[in-house]
Amino acid sequence: MGRMIQRKEHNEPMENLGFLQQPDGRMEAEVQGMKNTTTTWTTKMCRSYLDRRTMWEALDSTIWRSLDYKLRATTITKKQGDEIEKRLYRPLMLRLGATRMLPLTFR
């Protein structure tokens, strides 16, 4: 027998293919999820004892790949993207061996 289709509210997010979608098309839940993921990862990396090269490799191969996958499937504004990026780079810049004042273009 088949399963019943569960009714969802228009603003209730559901996880689908690794990211949160809302039936009304808004991305607030996904943006908040990306911010939380970024903050958690950054906090752990700042407390770690990894050298700069390993930090760059971890940035490129773990969190950035995860964000890149999600960004291709979302419709967020530039402002929301900048907020996520700030949470990622601001705490890590010194650990990565770069100045915090480095323009976003070069990060």
Side-chain angles (χ1 to χ4, degrees), residues 6-73:
Q6 188 177 21
R7 179 172 171 77
K8 297 279 187 182
E9 291 297 321
H10 69 91
N11 60 355
E12 183 181 353
M14 59 188 147
E15 189 168 358
N16 192 7
L17 296 174
F19 64 98
L20 295 170
Q21 289 181 312
Q22 290 176 238
D24 62 2
R26 294 183 304 154
M27 291 283 144
E28 283 84 14
E30 181 57 35
V31 169
Q32 189 58 45
M34 291 169 74
K35 286 179 183 179
N36 293 342
T37 301
T38 302
T39 302
T40 302
W41 187 87
T42 307
T43 302
K44 289 179 181 178
M45 291 305 287
C46 285
R47 292 180 182 163
S48 71
Y49 296 102
L50 299 176
D51 61 2
R52 288 181 180 162
R53 179 186 158 109
T54 308
M55 290 283 282
W56 277 107
E57 288 177 12
L59 174 68
D60 186 49
S61 64
T62 57
I63 191 70
W64 185 246
R65 298 290 181 207
S66 172
L67 292 175
D68 186 40
Y69 171 76
K70 290 180 178 186
L71 286 172
R72 293 171 191 257

Coordinates of all heavy atoms in Angstrom, one line a residue, residues 6-73:
Q6 N 1.9 13.8 3.3 CA 1.8 14.7 4.5 C 1.6 16.1 4.1 O 2.4 16.7 3.2 CB 3.1 14.5 5.3 CG 3.0 15.2 6.6 CD 4.3 15.0 7.5 OE1 5.3 14.7 6.9 NE2 4.2 15.1 8.8
R7 N 0.6 16.8 4.6 CA 0.4 18.2 4.3 C 1.4 19.1 5.0 O 1.6 18.9 6.2 CB -1.1 18.5 4.7 CG -1.4 20.0 4.5 CD -2.9 20.2 4.7 NE -3.2 21.6 4.7 CZ -3.3 22.3 3.6 NH1 -3.2 21.8 2.4 NH2 -3.7 23.6 3.6
K8 N 1.9 20.1 4.3 CA 2.8 21.0 4.9 C 2.2 22.4 4.7 O 1.5 22.7 3.8 CB 4.2 21.0 4.1 CG 4.9 19.7 4.2 CD 5.6 19.6 5.5 CE 6.5 18.4 5.5 NZ 7.2 18.2 6.7
E9 N 2.5 23.2 5.7 CA 2.2 24.7 5.6 C 3.0 25.3 4.6 O 4.1 24.9 4.3 CB 2.3 25.3 7.0 CG 1.3 24.9 8.0 CD -0.1 25.2 7.6 OE1 -0.4 26.3 7.1 OE2 -1.0 24.3 7.9
H10 N 2.6 26.4 4.0 CA 3.3 27.1 3.0 C 4.6 27.7 3.4 O 5.5 27.9 2.6 CB 2.4 28.2 2.4 CG 2.2 29.4 3.3 ND1 3.1 30.5 3.4 CD2 1.3 29.6 4.3 CE1 2.7 31.3 4.3 NE2 1.6 30.8 4.8
N11 N 4.8 27.9 4.7 CA 6.1 28.4 5.2 C 6.9 27.4 6.0 O 7.9 27.8 6.6 CB 5.9 29.7 6.0 CG 5.0 29.5 7.2 OD1 4.5 28.4 7.4 ND2 4.8 30.5 8.0
E12 N 6.5 26.2 6.0 CA 7.2 25.2 6.8 C 8.3 24.5 6.0 O 8.1 23.9 4.9 CB 6.2 24.1 7.2 CG 6.8 23.0 8.1 CD 5.7 22.0 8.5 OE1 4.5 22.1 8.1 OE2 6.1 21.0 9.1
P13 N 9.6 24.7 6.4 CA 10.7 24.1 5.6 C 10.8 22.6 5.8 O 10.4 22.1 6.8 CB 11.9 24.8 6.2 CG 11.5 25.2 7.6 CD 10.0 25.4 7.6
M14 N 11.3 22.0 4.7 CA 11.5 20.6 4.7 C 12.8 20.3 4.0 O 13.2 21.0 3.1 CB 10.4 19.8 4.1 CG 10.1 20.1 2.7 SD 8.6 19.3 2.1 CE 8.0 20.5 1.0
E15 N 13.6 19.3 4.6 CA 14.9 19.0 4.0 C 14.7 18.2 2.8 O 14.0 17.2 2.8 CB 15.8 18.3 5.0 CG 17.2 18.2 4.5 CD 18.2 17.8 5.5 OE1 17.8 17.6 6.7 OE2 19.3 17.6 5.2
N16 N 15.4 18.6 1.7 CA 15.3 17.9 0.4 C 16.6 18.0 -0.3 O 17.1 19.1 -0.6 CB 14.1 18.5 -0.4 CG 13.8 17.7 -1.6 OD1 14.2 16.6 -1.8 ND2 12.9 18.2 -2.4
L17 N 17.2 16.9 -0.6 CA 18.5 16.9 -1.3 C 19.6 17.6 -0.6 O 20.5 18.3 -1.2 CB 18.4 17.4 -2.7 CG 17.5 16.5 -3.6 CD1 17.4 17.2 -5.0 CD2 18.1 15.1 -3.8
G18 N 19.6 17.6 0.8 CA 20.6 18.3 1.5 C 20.4 19.7 1.9 O 21.3 20.3 2.6
F19 N 19.3 20.3 1.5 CA 19.1 21.7 1.9 C 17.6 21.9 2.2 O 16.7 21.1 1.8 CB 19.6 22.7 0.9 CG 18.9 22.7 -0.4 CD1 17.9 23.6 -0.7 CD2 19.3 21.8 -1.4 CE1 17.3 23.6 -1.9 CE2 18.7 21.8 -2.6 CZ 17.7 22.7 -2.9
L20 N 17.3 22.9 3.0 CA 15.9 23.2 3.4 C 15.2 24.0 2.4 O 15.6 25.0 1.9 CB 15.9 24.0 4.7 CG 16.5 23.2 5.9 CD1 16.7 24.2 7.1 CD2 15.6 22.1 6.3
Q21 N 14.0 23.5 2.0 CA 13.1 24.2 1.1 C 11.8 24.6 1.7 O 11.3 23.8 2.5 CB 12.9 23.3 -0.2 CG 14.0 23.1 -1.1 CD 13.6 22.3 -2.2 OE1 13.0 21.2 -2.1 NE2 14.0 22.7 -3.4
Q22 N 11.3 25.7 1.4 CA 9.9 26.1 1.8 C 9.0 26.1 0.6 O 9.5 26.6 -0.5 CB 10.0 27.5 2.5 CG 10.7 27.5 3.8 CD 10.8 28.8 4.4 OE1 11.9 29.3 4.6 NE2 9.7 29.5 4.6
P23 N 7.8 25.5 0.7 CA 7.0 25.5 -0.5 C 6.7 26.9 -1.1 O 6.4 27.0 -2.3 CB 5.7 24.9 0.0 CG 6.1 24.0 1.2 CD 7.3 24.8 1.8
D24 N 6.7 27.9 -0.3 CA 6.5 29.3 -0.9 C 7.7 29.9 -1.5 O 7.6 31.0 -2.0 CB 5.9 30.2 0.2 CG 6.9 30.4 1.4 OD1 8.0 29.9 1.3 OD2 6.5 31.2 2.3
G25 N 8.8 29.2 -1.6 CA 10.0 29.6 -2.3 C 11.0 30.5 -1.5 O 12.0 30.9 -2.0
R26 N 10.6 30.9 -0.3 CA 11.5 31.7 0.5 C 12.7 30.8 1.0 O 12.6 29.6 1.2 CB 10.8 32.3 1.7 CG 9.7 33.3 1.2 CD 9.1 34.0 2.4 NE 8.5 33.0 3.3 CZ 8.2 33.2 4.6 NH1 8.5 34.4 5.1 NH2 7.7 32.3 5.3
M27 N 13.8 31.5 1.3 CA 15.0 30.8 1.7 C 15.5 31.1 3.1 O 16.6 30.8 3.4 CB 16.1 31.1 0.7 CG 15.9 30.6 -0.7 SD 16.4 28.9 -0.7 CE 15.2 28.2 -1.8
E28 N 14.7 31.7 4.0 CA 15.1 32.1 5.3 C 15.6 30.9 6.1 O 16.6 31.0 6.8 CB 14.0 32.8 6.1 CG 13.7 34.2 5.7 CD 12.8 34.3 4.5 OE1 12.2 33.3 4.1 OE2 12.8 35.4 3.9
A29 N 14.9 29.7 6.0 CA 15.4 28.6 6.8 C 16.7 28.0 6.3 O 17.6 27.7 7.1 CB 14.3 27.5 6.7
E30 N 16.9 28.0 5.0 CA 18.2 27.6 4.5 C 19.3 28.5 4.8 O 20.4 28.1 5.1 CB 18.1 27.4 2.9 CG 19.4 26.9 2.3 CD 19.9 25.6 2.9 OE1 19.0 24.7 3.3 OE2 21.1 25.4 3.0
V31 N 19.1 29.8 4.7 CA 20.1 30.8 5.0 C 20.5 30.7 6.5 O 21.7 30.7 6.8 CB 19.6 32.2 4.7 CG1 20.5 33.3 5.3 CG2 19.5 32.4 3.2
Q32 N 19.5 30.5 7.4 CA 19.8 30.3 8.8 C 20.6 29.1 9.0 O 21.5 29.0 9.8 CB 18.5 30.4 9.6 CG 18.8 30.4 11.1 CD 19.6 31.6 11.5 OE1 19.3 32.7 11.1 NE2 20.6 31.4 12.4
G33 N 20.2 28.0 8.3 CA 20.9 26.7 8.4 C 22.4 26.9 8.0 O 23.3 26.3 8.6
M34 N 22.6 27.6 6.9 CA 24.0 27.8 6.4 C 24.8 28.7 7.4 O 26.0 28.4 7.6 CB 23.9 28.5 5.0 CG 23.4 27.5 3.9 SD 23.0 28.3 2.4 CE 24.6 28.6 1.7
K35 N 24.1 29.7 8.0 CA 24.8 30.5 9.0 C 25.2 29.6 10.2 O 26.4 29.7 10.7 CB 23.9 31.6 9.4 CG 23.8 32.7 8.4 CD 22.8 33.8 9.0 CE 22.6 34.9 8.0 NZ 21.7 35.9 8.6
N36 N 24.3 28.8 10.6 CA 24.6 27.9 11.8 C 25.7 26.9 11.5 O 26.7 26.7 12.3 CB 23.4 27.2 12.2 CG 22.3 28.1 12.8 OD1 22.6 29.2 13.2 ND2 21.1 27.6 12.8
T37 N 25.7 26.3 10.3 CA 26.7 25.4 9.9 C 28.1 26.1 9.8 O 29.1 25.6 10.3 CB 26.4 24.8 8.5 OG1 25.1 24.1 8.6 CG2 27.5 23.8 8.0
T38 N 28.1 27.3 9.2 CA 29.3 28.0 9.0 C 29.9 28.5 10.4 O 31.1 28.3 10.7 CB 29.1 29.3 8.2 OG1 28.6 28.9 6.9 CG2 30.3 30.1 8.0
T39 N 29.0 28.9 11.3 CA 29.5 29.3 12.6 C 30.0 28.1 13.4 O 31.1 28.3 14.0 CB 28.3 30.0 13.4 OG1 27.9 31.1 12.7 CG2 28.8 30.4 14.8
T40 N 29.4 27.0 13.4 CA 29.8 25.8 14.1 C 31.2 25.4 13.5 O 32.1 25.1 14.3 CB 28.8 24.7 13.9 OG1 27.6 25.1 14.4 CG2 29.3 23.4 14.7
W41 N 31.3 25.3 12.2 CA 32.6 24.9 11.6 C 33.7 25.8 11.9 O 34.8 25.4 12.3 CB 32.4 24.7 10.1 CG 33.6 24.1 9.4 CD1 33.8 22.8 9.2 CD2 34.7 24.8 8.8 NE1 35.0 22.7 8.5 CE2 35.5 23.9 8.3 CE3 35.0 26.2 8.7 CZ2 36.7 24.2 7.6 CZ3 36.2 26.5 8.1 CH2 37.0 25.6 7.5
T42 N 33.4 27.1 11.8 CA 34.5 28.1 12.1 C 34.9 28.1 13.5 O 36.1 28.2 13.8 CB 33.9 29.5 11.7 OG1 33.4 29.5 10.4 CG2 35.0 30.6 11.8
T43 N 34.0 27.9 14.4 CA 34.4 27.8 15.9 C 35.3 26.6 16.1 O 36.3 26.7 16.8 CB 33.1 27.7 16.7 OG1 32.3 28.8 16.5 CG2 33.4 27.6 18.2
K44 N 34.9 25.5 15.5 CA 35.8 24.3 15.7 C 37.2 24.5 15.1 O 38.2 24.1 15.7 CB 35.1 23.1 15.1 CG 33.9 22.6 15.9 CD 33.2 21.4 15.2 CE 32.0 21.0 16.0 NZ 31.3 19.9 15.4
M45 N 37.2 25.1 13.9 CA 38.5 25.3 13.3 C 39.4 26.3 14.0 O 40.6 26.1 14.1 CB 38.3 25.8 11.8 CG 37.7 24.7 10.9 SD 38.6 23.1 10.9 CE 40.0 23.6 9.9
C46 N 38.8 27.3 14.6 CA 39.6 28.3 15.3 C 40.1 27.7 16.6 O 41.2 28.2 17.1 CB 38.7 29.5 15.6 SG 38.5 30.6 14.2
R47 N 39.5 26.7 17.1 CA 40.0 26.0 18.4 C 40.9 24.9 18.1 O 41.5 24.3 19.0 CB 38.8 25.5 19.2 CG 37.9 26.6 19.7 CD 36.8 26.0 20.5 NE 36.0 27.1 21.0 CZ 34.7 27.0 21.5 NH1 34.2 25.8 21.5 NH2 34.1 28.0 21.9
S48 N 41.1 24.6 16.8 CA 42.0 23.4 16.5 C 43.4 23.9 16.4 O 43.8 25.0 16.5 CB 41.6 22.9 15.1 OG 42.0 23.8 14.1
Y49 N 44.3 22.9 16.3 CA 45.7 23.1 16.2 C 46.3 22.9 14.9 O 47.5 22.5 14.7 CB 46.4 22.2 17.3 CG 46.0 22.6 18.7 CD1 45.1 21.8 19.4 CD2 46.6 23.7 19.3 CE1 44.8 22.1 20.7 CE2 46.2 24.0 20.6 CZ 45.3 23.2 21.3 OH 44.9 23.5 22.5
L50 N 45.6 23.1 13.8 CA 46.0 22.9 12.5 C 46.9 24.0 12.0 O 46.7 25.2 12.4 CB 44.8 22.8 11.5 CG 43.8 21.6 11.8 CD1 42.6 21.7 10.9 CD2 44.5 20.3 11.7
D51 N 47.8 23.7 11.1 CA 48.7 24.7 10.6 C 47.9 25.5 9.4 O 46.8 25.0 9.0 CB 50.0 24.2 10.1 CG 49.8 23.1 9.0 OD1 48.7 22.9 8.5 OD2 50.9 22.6 8.5
R52 N 48.5 26.5 8.9 CA 47.8 27.4 7.9 C 47.4 26.6 6.6 O 46.4 26.7 6.1 CB 48.6 28.6 7.6 CG 48.7 29.6 8.7 CD 49.5 30.8 8.3 NE 49.5 31.7 9.4 CZ 50.3 32.7 9.6 NH1 51.3 32.9 8.7 NH2 50.3 33.4 10.6
R53 N 48.4 25.8 6.1 CA 48.1 25.1 4.9 C 47.0 24.1 5.1 O 46.1 24.0 4.2 CB 49.4 24.3 4.5 CG 49.2 23.5 3.2 CD 50.4 22.7 3.0 NE 50.1 21.6 2.1 CZ 50.4 21.5 0.8 NH1 51.1 22.4 0.3 NH2 50.0 20.4 0.1
T54 N 47.0 23.4 6.2 CA 45.9 22.5 6.5 C 44.6 23.2 6.7 O 43.5 22.7 6.2 CB 46.2 21.6 7.7 OG1 47.5 21.1 7.6 CG2 45.2 20.5 7.9
M55 N 44.6 24.4 7.3 CA 43.4 25.2 7.4 C 42.8 25.6 6.0 O 41.6 25.5 5.8 CB 43.7 26.5 8.2 CG 44.0 26.2 9.7 SD 42.5 25.9 10.6 CE 41.8 27.5 10.8
W56 N 43.7 26.0 5.1 CA 43.2 26.4 3.8 C 42.6 25.1 3.1 O 41.6 25.2 2.4 CB 44.4 26.9 2.9 CG 44.6 28.4 3.2 CD1 45.7 28.9 3.8 CD2 43.8 29.5 2.7 NE1 45.5 30.3 3.8 CE2 44.4 30.7 3.2 CE3 42.6 29.6 2.0 CZ2 43.9 31.9 2.9 CZ3 42.1 30.8 1.7 CH2 42.7 32.0 2.2
E57 N 43.3 24.0 3.2 CA 42.8 22.8 2.6 C 41.4 22.4 3.2 O 40.5 22.0 2.5 CB 43.8 21.6 2.8 CG 45.0 21.8 1.9 CD 46.0 20.7 2.1 OE1 45.7 19.7 2.8 OE2 47.2 20.9 1.6
A58 N 41.3 22.5 4.5 CA 40.0 22.2 5.2 C 38.9 23.1 4.7 O 37.8 22.7 4.5 CB 40.2 22.3 6.7
L59 N 39.3 24.4 4.6 CA 38.3 25.4 4.1 C 37.8 25.0 2.7 O 36.6 25.0 2.4 CB 38.9 26.8 4.1 CG 38.1 27.9 3.5 CD1 36.9 28.2 4.4 CD2 38.9 29.2 3.4
D60 N 38.7 24.7 1.8 CA 38.4 24.4 0.4 C 37.7 23.1 0.3 O 36.8 23.0 -0.6 CB 39.7 24.5 -0.4 CG 39.3 24.3 -1.9 OD1 38.4 25.1 -2.4 OD2 40.0 23.5 -2.5
S61 N 38.1 22.1 1.0 CA 37.5 20.8 0.8 C 36.3 20.4 1.6 O 35.7 19.4 1.3 CB 38.7 19.7 1.0 OG 39.1 19.7 2.3
T62 N 36.0 21.1 2.7 CA 34.9 20.7 3.5 C 33.8 21.8 3.5 O 32.8 21.6 2.8 CB 35.3 20.5 5.0 OG1 36.0 21.7 5.5 CG2 36.3 19.3 5.1
I63 N 33.9 22.8 4.2 CA 32.8 23.8 4.4 C 32.5 24.5 3.1 O 31.4 24.7 2.7 CB 33.1 24.8 5.5 CG1 31.8 25.6 5.8 CG2 34.3 25.7 5.2 CD1 30.8 24.8 6.5
W64 N 33.5 24.9 2.3 CA 33.3 25.6 1.0 C 32.5 24.7 0.0 O 31.6 25.1 -0.7 CB 34.5 26.2 0.4 CG 34.2 27.0 -0.7 CD1 34.5 26.8 -2.0 CD2 33.3 28.2 -0.8 NE1 33.9 27.8 -2.9 CE2 33.2 28.6 -2.1 CE3 32.7 28.9 0.2 CZ2 32.5 29.7 -2.5 CZ3 31.9 30.0 -0.1 CH2 31.8 30.4 -1.5
R65 N 32.9 23.4 0.0 CA 32.2 22.5 -0.9 C 30.8 22.3 -0.5 O 29.9 22.3 -1.4 CB 32.9 21.1 -0.9 CG 34.3 21.2 -1.4 CD 34.4 21.4 -2.9 NE 35.8 21.4 -3.3 CZ 36.3 22.0 -4.3 NH1 35.5 22.8 -5.0 NH2 37.5 22.0 -4.6
S66 N 30.5 22.3 0.8 CA 29.1 22.2 1.3 C 28.3 23.4 0.9 O 27.2 23.3 0.5 CB 29.2 22.0 2.8 OG 27.9 22.0 3.3
L67 N 28.9 24.6 1.1 CA 28.2 25.8 0.8 C 28.0 26.0 -0.7 O 26.9 26.4 -1.1 CB 29.0 27.0 1.4 CG 29.0 27.1 2.9 CD1 29.9 28.3 3.3 CD2 27.6 27.3 3.5
D68 N 29.0 25.6 -1.5 CA 28.9 25.7 -2.9 C 27.8 24.9 -3.5 O 27.0 25.3 -4.3 CB 30.3 25.3 -3.5 CG 30.3 25.5 -5.0 OD1 29.8 26.6 -5.5 OD2 30.9 24.7 -5.7
Y69 N 27.6 23.7 -3.0 CA 26.6 22.8 -3.4 C 25.2 23.4 -3.1 O 24.3 23.4 -3.9 CB 26.7 21.5 -2.7 CG 25.5 20.5 -2.9 CD1 25.3 19.9 -4.1 CD2 24.6 20.4 -1.9 CE1 24.2 19.0 -4.3 CE2 23.5 19.5 -2.1 CZ 23.3 18.9 -3.3 OH 22.2 18.1 -3.5
K70 N 25.1 24.0 -1.9 CA 23.8 24.6 -1.5 C 23.5 25.9 -2.3 O 22.4 26.2 -2.6 CB 23.8 24.8 0.0 CG 23.7 23.5 0.8 CD 23.7 23.8 2.3 CE 23.6 22.5 3.0 NZ 23.4 22.7 4.4
L71 N 24.5 26.7 -2.5 CA 24.3 28.0 -3.2 C 23.8 27.8 -4.6 O 23.1 28.7 -5.1 CB 25.6 28.8 -3.2 CG 26.0 29.4 -1.8 CD1 27.4 30.0 -1.9 CD2 25.0 30.4 -1.4
R72 N 24.2 26.7 -5.2 CA 23.7 26.5 -6.6 C 22.2 26.2 -6.7 O 21.6 26.4 -7.7 CB 24.5 25.4 -7.2 CG 26.0 25.7 -7.4 CD 26.7 24.4 -7.8 NE 28.1 24.6 -7.8 CZ 28.9 24.8 -8.8 NH1 28.4 24.8 -10.0 NH2 30.2 25.0 -8.7
A73 N 21.7 25.8 -5.6 CA 20.3 25.4 -5.6 C 19.4 26.4 -4.8 O 18.2 26.1 -4.6 CB 20.1 24.0 -5.0

